[in-house]
Amino acid sequence: MVTSGVESGYRLGVDVGGTFTDICVITPNGDSIYAKVPSTPHDQSVGVRNGIAKARELLQDREGFKRFGCIHHGTTIATNAVLEGKGARAGLVVTDGHREILSLRRSQIPGGLGAWIYYQAPEPIIPLERTVTCPERISVSGEVVQRLDNEAFRQNLGDLKTQNVQAISISLLNSYANDVHEKRAREIIQEEFGPDVEVVCSSDVLPLPGEYERTETTTTNAVVKPIMKKYLNNLQKLLAGDTDTLRILKSDGDLTNVAMAGETPVNILMSGPAGGVKGVSHVIAKNTPFKNLITLDMGGTSTDCALIRDSVPSVRRETVVGSLTVKAASVDVRTVGAGGGSIAFYNNLTKNLRVGPESAGASPGPAAYGNGGDSPTVTDANLVLGYLPSKLLGGDFHLHVEAATAAVDKIARQMGLSTLDAAEGIVNLVNETIYGALRLVSIEQGYDPREFALVAFGGAGPLAANAVGKLLGAWPVIVPPSPGVLCAYGDATTKLSHELSTSYIKILSETTSEELLSELKPLREGCEAVLRDSLQNVSEVQLKAVYEVDLRYQGQAIILTIQLNEKEIQCDTAQLAGLIREYFNDAHTQQFSFSLDSHEVELMRLRAKVTDDSPDVNVEGVERSSKKDPPESAIVDRKKITVGGESIEAVFWNRGAINRQGHVVHGPAVITEMDANTLILPGCYGEIDEMGNILIRPSEDAQARMSGPEHTSKSAESIVAEDPLISTLVSSSLQSIRREMDSLMLRCAMSPAIRDQQDEFNVVANPKGQMLVGQFGSFIPSFLEMWKGSIDEGDVFVTNDAYQIKGAVSHLNDVIVMLPIWFNGQIVGWSSQFGHITDVQGKVPGSLSINASTIFEDGLQIPCVKLYAKGIYNEPLVELLCRNSRLPEWFASDLTALVAACRIAGTRVQELCSRYGPDVYHAACNDLLNRNRTAIAHLIETKIGEEETTFTDFIDDDGHGVGPWAVKCTMQKNHSKLIFDWSGTSPQSGNSSINFYLSETMFKMFAGYYLLAVYDPYCVVNDGFHDLLEVKIPEGSLLKPIRPAALSCRTHLLGRIMDVMQALFGQRNPAYCAAAGFSDSPHLFYSGFKPTGEPFLLYQIGFGGVPARPAGDGVRMISSLSSPFPPSSQTNQPTNQILTNPLSSPQPDSHCLFPAIKSIPTETLELYYPLHILSSGTLPSSGGAGHFRGGNAQRTVYRFLCKGEISLHDDRWFTKPWGVNGGKPGGRSRKVIYRAGAAAEKGEKGEGKGDGGTAVGGIRGQGEVVPSKVDHVKVSPGDVLEWITWGGGGLGDPLTRPAGKVALEVHRGLVSRDGAEEDYGVVVREDYCVHVKRTEALRQRMREERRNAVVDSTSEEDKGNGGGGGGEGEGEGGGYDRGGTLQELVQRCKLETGLDAPTPAWEMEKEAYGPHAGVGWVREWYERMGREGYGAWRV
């Protein structure tokens, strides 16, 4: 029988992995032949050639075989070039003013609340020193705003010409709308650099809005393009004798020709995982009754998960490789760091077992490989449990049981468990991790994984499949033949495709069918031309075209793709619009359970995809057996394995001998084959289907026993105590639940604060409301304390009333939803989710008015009320809330997202109760709470000294010229507890909204995260330790205002709490010693009406300098219970630090301490709001100098295009973010408006040394210095706002910072030349090298001047800190450089900032006025401060 397909003859697929290169040959009669050879990392083509040679040996006796009709290749060349940093040396060209697009990475610090302490920003794929700016500007509509300056651009290229680049990427703002400047820039580069340098334009690679994603995609393409082209050209020559047709697998699972693969290698980054998913689609989805599948591809280092719906793999427009996320079509594969080689770790402090993401790799590999590895891995655990035979790969690879046992025993002894129990714990934990990933890949697309079958492949996948299938409830679990080489099979059977797309941003109601057809037709024709050229040696070409439209509800973040066929795009305008809306609403409902039927739909992109439509390759099935029992000869071994703590005998079967349809194998059993081993658990059985797949299902009696075991509270406690791994598994599940909640929120919400900036946080709690997993502590106990009504099944509560729930939410924009989780008639927990709603009826657009003097002016107060009562939706309430918002549709959508997130968490917790039983679940949760308590207690006992510690910091002003406002805290250890007393903090503000109702629970969580992050960054923090911390906050203070004080602008106090806390801990333990930094989230609102009458409202959070930290610039990980500290001329503290390449990684400039928050892309801002972002980047030398540098401030320049008004709130314009232990303070914030037509000749300097700070968009002038917190500032078209945030303080002596690092940062534009000399004593030559002799002399002179400086005897803090002044507070300790005493800052304020110094509250008002006026300590405060003034603060 002749194989169907585009070519007759033999088809060969070859997939290159890290350890092995896999070959699959499909013969003309449909047989599959496999080969496996070692990979050759030094040159992949050698392994490919060896594999093909082995396949030839296997085929030599086949009649008619001479050459291969085609060879299809899945390659990791591009992926490895990215991961290993071995791509071409490349440069980048970006629009002037936006040089740091790649290095800022949208200003996000991933991870939890304390992640900034140890976060290391990855190096951008093209560093700043090879980034060149191009003077030009295109508007979002494609209009040329500023013509490209040819001569200036040529001059800017001069430095890059000295750096021997092989490729240059061009990514100019809004080039997706008009590529004229990119094309001109390419011409100039080709003239300057010649033909040997590859030039890649973003408008060719990804013509889509979103400058960071487009730039990263384009630069990735440029970096790998020369490498890929060279490899493919060589491979084509090498295989010329084997085939005339070589094709390359793309990330979307289809094929492309060699030329296209070389031009856009960014499209083949995920070709390996895509091959496996395509193989599943072909072998199983198209040849069995199972059309809906979840795939599990487990290899040595990771597991890839994907979804197949109706036989078609899900595709997303995004590919993740290492730290890079590029916008390229790929099979929707989600990867977790859980593979056979994943290493198990145990942290004794937190009693935390984790597996991965670190891997033993192929060398030395697991201990079982016998190559010298001694770390316990998943493979070792499987071998110890008996799940693996002693030899793999058909007997060629011997496993060492003794070495594996020794490795696992090391961690078993740490945990106090037997070796077998520890091994089961490792395997169960990695299965739990895979389970979470599989759930996420299905839940994100709106599907219940129980409606899918699970397909396992890869070398390690079949071993985990049965256990993961039980967790997932996805039956049957399917293991295809030769699962370890399925990727190669997918390569051999997939077909060619090509797609073209165009940006098309338009409202659906304004779009005609003629316009769509005119855009889509040339796209289809272009695709057809490419495919016909690729198939020119095929006699009859059959092609199929489909059309795709990317859409979203106007204003929403998530883009969904719908498909249209040839007939549908021929419909008239009304019919086509109706179809598009119907398909989009259906897709939205599928993913998010709701649609906004009346909301405007926005088209974003059009796409045509043409595919080879020849018949699929025929797959031969297997013969039917007359008996269910396989022959006895198929048994290769019988031996004991361990399952669930019990030793039982398992039968090991040879898969090659049980290859008849109908054969059934009962568990416990292991089915072995050359490339994989399949474990069938007790209570399950495996049946061979018509295609030779193993279908694993639970037996009927096992299904009846699948409900959770019944226990009493006492017996459950005993079980958890005996098996602490139960708690670890529950913890893993709880973390997975959080990720699902986050995913729903970010995909479903409409407010930019949530969807773009990720200002949303969630909690899963126990019945008492104690947080089990979350971020800011639990919101539930405060609610339970005040709620007097009933709590019924089906209830959902909503509130934003900070006073009613004691600061659990801290201002009215943060709306919180709380859901009681019921199981078998009892409340077993709570889920809660809050998100920042953009507008809640406050007196200014955005509802964050600095002029609000009472909570009533802040906005709409929602007391604790039922949003759902016994499942009944309170529609009138929602109508009321939305009616009182300036953005009612956003409000409604966000509220829906909050509820959806809580419900998914509720469902998951119910599943945990079903799995373990509610009593065991509660016992495990209590154990997790106790683990945190024990860890914190140990840290308090051993890492925090007995001395009383005090620190005072300040909010500069209240927006009305009054300030500064003190934030003071004293920390004292009392036996095993830490007491935080905020006495000394200023009284509440009666005329402003800067007050912050500090939730004691929230502050305890801040402290807990900070304590644990240094010693176990992977620890899941919960509320278990709260009794060890006592928080005292005076009523009537800024941190516990009396109602109705306004709260809306509490963000600055929230940030200052973080600064004070790290100062308190840092004085007691150098491991916690960090400077002050950008801990606030200042914000800009721009609102008004467009000329069409359409309203607009922009809410944007600013970013700034992360403080210098003990992790400095380059610590990868602080080992458990070590004490890192930077060198300093002011301290004799120990330097017991574990450093990996100190100072090697970039400091996070222009970031934010709060986790996950992202900046909004410039092109998104310009697309939806009437403005141009003229500049967005860091301000050089605005980070405090130190051995570890503080992060730089952000400098953003806006040109407004419409009449409107702005509100702008920030801080640190008067006081500076302090440096510590010789580190200098960070630069201040600054805001200036330049009115259109009113530019002066001379610009003013910002805080960054050597940067004029005002030459923006052709405007240079003094402008109007804007106070730190203002509302209702009118702006007109052409007005320009320059907003500079503040930098982070430095840590340690700047003169000890490596001179080469300083010179590199000068080259990168992060430190100015003046700053290098004045702050670091480093002289940088014109070629950016260090002038060694001048630097040595300068540093020596600066040290002598420091020693000889006259120290003011009245300022203890001046001792040895470089002359900054700053004073020493009561118990505060020395070493803090605030840039001067408060008196000195007042004296210099006008000169340095252009603004008058704030007036102290006791001078503005002789006594308090407001609800706090009768509080005794408040009256005493005004009297004392009136007498003593600034001196009373002793700083």
Side-chain angles (χ1 to χ4, degrees), residues 1025-1064:
F1025 60 88
H1026 283 195
D1027 66 307
L1028 299 175
L1029 306 183
E1030 182 179 347
V1031 183
K1032 299 178 180 179
I1033 308 174
E1035 188 173 40
S1037 69
L1038 284 170
L1039 300 179
K1040 197 173 185 178
I1042 298 172
R1043 194 173 187 269
L1047 306 171
S1048 58
C1049 293
R1050 92 305 187 228
T1051 181
H1052 312 298
L1053 273 166
L1054 174 59
R1056 213 58 69 245
I1057 294 298
M1058 305 287 284
D1059 288 334
V1060 171
M1061 181 184 67
Q1062 59 208 43
L1064 292 172

Side-chain angles (χ1 to χ4, degrees), residues 1166-1240:
E1166 296 188 358
L1167 182 61
Y1168 291 106
Y1169 303 101
L1171 50 72
H1172 286 159
I1173 307 296
L1174 303 181
S1175 180
S1176 179
T1178 69
L1179 184 66
S1181 289
S1182 55
H1187 180 80
F1188 296 129
R1189 175 175 68 82
N1192 279 336
Q1194 182 182 53
R1195 176 176 178 267
T1196 309
V1197 183
Y1198 307 79
R1199 174 179 284 135
F1200 303 109
L1201 304 180
C1202 263
K1203 182 179 180 181
E1205 67 176 42
I1206 63 170
S1207 296
L1208 182 55
H1209 306 150
D1210 72 2
D1211 204 59
R1212 290 293 197 196
W1213 67 274
F1214 170 61
T1215 61
K1216 293 184 177 183
W1218 35 268
V1220 64
N1221 292 317
K1224 300 297 183 180
R1228 293 182 174 108
S1229 69
R1230 179 177 173 83
K1231 299 156 291 297
V1232 183
I1233 288 183
Y1234 304 90
R1235 298 295 181 182

